Amino acid sequence: MFRNQYDTDVTTWSPAGRLFQVEYAMEAVKQGSAAIGLRSKTHIVLGCVNKANSELSSHQKKIFKVDDHIGVAIAGLTADGRVLSRYMRNECINYSFTYESPLPVGRLVVQLADKAQVCTQRSWKRPYGVGLLVAGLDESGAHLYYNCPSGNYFEYQAFAIGSRSQAAKTYLERRFENFADSSRDDLVKDALMAIRETLQGETLKSSICTVAVVGVGEPFHILDLETVQQMIDAFEIVGEQEGPAAEPDAAAAADQGGSTEEGVAPMDI
Amino acid sequence: MNFMASKQPENCLLGPESDSQRTLYPYVTGTSVVALKYKDGILMAADLGGSYGSTLRYKNVERMKPIGKHSLLGASGEISDFQEILRYLDDLILYDNMWDDGNSLGPKEVHNYLTRVMYNRRNKFNPLWNSLVLGGVKKGEKYLGTVSMIGVNFEDNHVATGFGNHLARPILRQDWHENLSFEDGVKLLEKCMRVLLYRDRSAINKLQIAKITEEGVTISQPYSLKTYWEFSAFANPAQGAVGTW
């Protein structure tokens, strides 16, 4: 995308019918670190890659609990994501107070999308620079939605956003037909595998990723580091055994063999 | 010209009276509503009377109405406030239906919404002068609750408003059990309504019984209960207590 005379403010259309500011906002999402989500009939798993600025600092929080039955993973301007999470939490709690019932995730997502749309039609505002993967339950089961800065929202079986998300999407595209009937643990494993795809060879460990689960009978919660590390260890071993069995992306298989060796520091990309 | 301006005592916390119009007393009122859970859902009974003070003025007032797909609302107290509540609920259900997304407000949600409305009005010293009974079935779950004009709300297996609390609830506590059949439920309600007819002066002998199940709402046509006035206690009330009338 290059600079042009129609991209100064969001209230200017280009002759081709595009709003460049909105598209630039979607670019901001692509620059953020990866977030993925996948769902079965009863559970949804969200995962994200946590990159800290330096070894001294902590990593940014990218997964937020919105209510017992809704959680969100963000990619892009995390400050915008935090503000939108606060809005979502507010909406959920107000609904719960009035109706003593959880806000159906489909309705929250529409409210969020309408809020984003407002910012695409006011000259004194800018679009939110964050993409949100909203995971939640309602009467009809488990749902995963993606909310764009443009004000659009889509429902997905599985999706990935942020930098190097294409690798995760390719992985998910191959497997998604099985997700609907997956068990909860298999779903978490698939999420970790998808996260690993975005790391391009770097070792997957629980210190650089965050995983959260929500499902029927299971309130939204972020899995703790030990649990995640155990799951990684469990399938890394399997992965090593599968390596020689010629998977379609041989590069990934070769990396699996290599990454079980010591000495690959997290920031050494 | 107001020579005798209404004066509030000095320690009064009410706001200026001149610019507010708040409910001070009810005018046209309905009497008890009685409801119970039975095997397939909820049964509710109320008469069709609207009293104007001590006059039994209106004899065709329907005090039970279906709300959305899953709920049934019965009200006693000020009839115009009941109509106002029906308007609020109409809007609520309309917006719920407009989502068209497979989710719908069930009886629990409607009950809690009404509680919030009643309590908020009470806090503004402008209550909706009603006692409401909200019953319904959603996804096999039966729900029966009540809200008063001051926002007190609770759920139970059987509820009543007004005089029903004093005359019907004791009968229900004794005779109600889980999984009543439809016929037994109706018989039990009629037993309660008959006592109310004998003893509540605002009751009239024209009632409806409403049923709500997973399939939907049915409200019966108005009918009357058979009464017997030849009890010796009615004929000769002073027998047991000399000097009474």
Side-chain angles (χ1 to χ4, degrees):
Chain A
M1 234 184 274
F2 298 108
R3 276 233 68 194
N4 55 70
Q5 48 179 290
Y6 309 109
D7 68 356
T8 307
D9 53 57
V10 75
T11 50
T12 304
W13 287 100
S14 83
R18 296 159 70 167
L19 290 169
F20 280 102
Q21 281 295 309
V22 176
E23 295 184 25
Y24 295 165
M26 315 238 271
E27 277 300 310
V29 177
K30 295 185 201 157
Q31 303 302 328
S33 54
I36 59 113
L38 43 144
R39 69 162 167 127
S40 70
K41 281 208 201 84
T42 54
H43 286 80
I44 313 113
V45 179
L46 293 175
C48 69
V49 170
N50 293 332
K51 285 294 163 67
N53 280 332
S54 73
E55 286 204 26
L56 295 168
S57 78
S58 65
H59 56 73
Q60 279 192 317
K61 191 159 169 211
K62 283 162 46 83
I63 296 191
F64 299 90
K65 173 169 175 168
V66 168
D67 201 342
D68 283 337
H69 68 298
I70 300 182
V72 62
I74 63 172
L77 266 55
T78 41
D80 282 2
R82 209 179 52 240
V83 157
L84 287 176
S85 301
R86 185 163 53 233
Y87 168 75
M88 292 165 78
R89 286 173 176 164
N90 215 33
E91 291 300 301
C92 280
I93 216 171
N94 284 341
Y95 188 93
S96 274
F97 176 69
T98 308
Y99 301 104
E100 265 221 34
S101 203
L103 173 59
V105 63
R107 297 188 182 187
L108 178 62
V109 159
V110 173
Q111 283 174 258
L112 199 53
D114 287 347
K115 195 172 161 67
Q117 190 279 341
V118 169
C119 296
T120 68
Q121 212 175 3
R122 305 277 183 273
S123 60
W124 62 90
K125 287 182 178 255
R126 63 155 178 84
Y128 288 105
V130 64
L132 301 115
L133 282 171
V134 185
L137 306 168
D138 68 18
E139 258 179 69
S140 39
H143 298 272
L144 173 69
Y145 294 92
Y146 170 54
N147 276 73
C148 267
S150 59
N152 284 326
Y153 67 96
F154 309 94
E155 187 167 2
Y156 285 98
Q157 191 72 38
F159 200 49
I161 56 176
S163 69
R164 293 188 282 214
S165 57
Q166 189 50 53
K169 268 190 258 186
T170 314
Y171 175 85
L172 294 168
E173 267 166 38
R174 272 189 286 129
R175 308 288 210 87
F176 78 93
E177 266 143 358
N178 302 324
F179 289 162
D181 297 310
S182 273
S183 74
R184 174 208 183 272
D185 289 341
D186 282 340
L187 217 58
V188 177
K189 235 188 328 167
D190 275 316
L192 286 164
M193 307 272 257
I195 295 173
R196 192 177 52 190
E197 297 296 312
T198 69
L199 293 171
Q200 306 288 53
E202 205 186 309
T203 321
L204 174 67
K205 31 165 135 8
S206 62
S207 54
I208 56 166
C209 69
T210 309
V211 180
V213 186
V214 62
V216 176
E218 187 176 352
F220 184 91
H221 63 287
I222 298 177
L223 302 181
D224 60 87
L225 291 182
E226 294 87 51
T227 317
V228 177
Q229 192 57 50
Q230 276 168 15
M231 300 198 94
I232 294 173
D233 295 336
F235 78 73
E236 284 275 72
I237 301 164
V238 174
E240 200 184 73
Q241 289 167 350
E242 272 180 27
E247 281 233 288
D249 19 49
D255 277 346
Q256 281 172 29
S259 57
T260 46
E261 285 165 9
E262 301 267 60
V264 182
M267 297 321 287
D268 283 4
I269 309 165
Chain B
M1 276 268 226
N2 193 3
F3 296 101
M4 290 249 265
S6 54
K7 190 175 184 299
Q8 298 170 9
E10 267 174 32
N11 56 354
C12 184
L13 292 172
L14 300 175
E17 273 198 19
S18 53
D19 45 37
S20 75
Q21 289 189 8
R22 61 167 77 105
T23 307
L24 297 168
Y25 8 79
Y27 283 90
V28 180
T29 56
T31 185
S32 324
V33 177
V34 190
L36 49 80
K37 279 190 194 165
Y38 80 108
K39 183 162 58 88
D40 304 323
I42 312 292
L43 282 168
M44 199 185 290
D47 68 20
L48 281 93
S51 302
Y52 188 65
S54 53
T55 311
L56 295 178
R57 178 133 177 225
Y58 301 104
K59 308 228 180 144
N60 204 18
V61 180
E62 291 201 16
R63 298 192 289 113
M64 295 185 294
K65 293 285 180 193
I67 309 291
K69 288 192 290 257
H70 306 284
S71 314
L72 177 64
L73 176 67
S76 66
E78 173 61 58
I79 299 299
S80 62
D81 282 351
F82 175 52
Q83 290 169 350
E84 183 79 348
I85 290 170
L86 288 176
R87 230 175 35 79
Y88 287 154
L89 289 177
D90 204 33
D91 279 353
L92 185 73
I93 300 293
L94 181 73
Y95 286 121
D96 190 43
N97 289 341
M98 269 166 59
W99 279 104
D100 197 20
D101 64 349
N103 294 300
S104 55
L105 294 171
K108 178 163 84 130
E109 287 81 18
V110 176
H111 184 221
N112 276 285
Y113 171 79
L114 287 171
T115 306
R116 290 291 121 237
V117 170
M118 300 302 272
Y119 184 63
N120 268 293
R121 291 288 297 252
R122 164 260 197 203
N123 283 340
K124 294 194 262 203
F125 280 91
N126 187 15
L128 289 159
W129 207 287
N130 295 107
S131 282
L132 305 169
V133 172
L134 200 297
V137 193
K138 190 172 173 203
K139 292 230 177 75
E141 295 270 322
K142 302 188 277 264
Y143 187 91
L144 181 60
T146 179
V147 197
S148 77
M149 68 187 260
I150 57 171
V152 176
N153 83 318
F154 56 89
E155 291 169 56
D156 208 339
N157 292 319
H158 47 80
V159 295
T161 66
F163 265 89
N165 273 310
H166 301 105
L167 299 173
R169 296 292 303 281
I171 300 175
L172 292 166
R173 280 185 205 118
Q174 201 174 46
D175 289 351
W176 184 90
H177 58 85
E178 288 270 9
N179 290 321
L180 280 162
S181 71
F182 174 72
E183 291 76 26
D184 285 344
V186 172
K187 263 214 293 265
L188 188 48
L189 276 181
E190 284 184 347
K191 186 174 178 186
C192 296
M193 295 304 280
R194 187 170 287 109
V195 172
L196 286 166
L197 180 58
Y198 283 132
R199 295 294 177 176
D200 178 5
R201 73 151 185 197
S202 349
I204 62 167
N205 196 4
K206 187 178 173 196
L207 73 145
Q208 284 176 313
I209 297 210
K211 157 173 89 110
I212 179 165
T213 63
E214 192 77 56
E215 280 82 55
V217 174
T218 326
I219 305 184
S220 73
Q221 286 293 84
Y223 69 102
S224 302
L225 295 170
K226 286 216 200 31
T227 55
Y228 180 69
W229 295 97
E230 306 316 312
F231 288 115
S232 62
F234 292 163
N236 194 8
Q239 190 173 48
V242 178
T244 190
W245 65 98

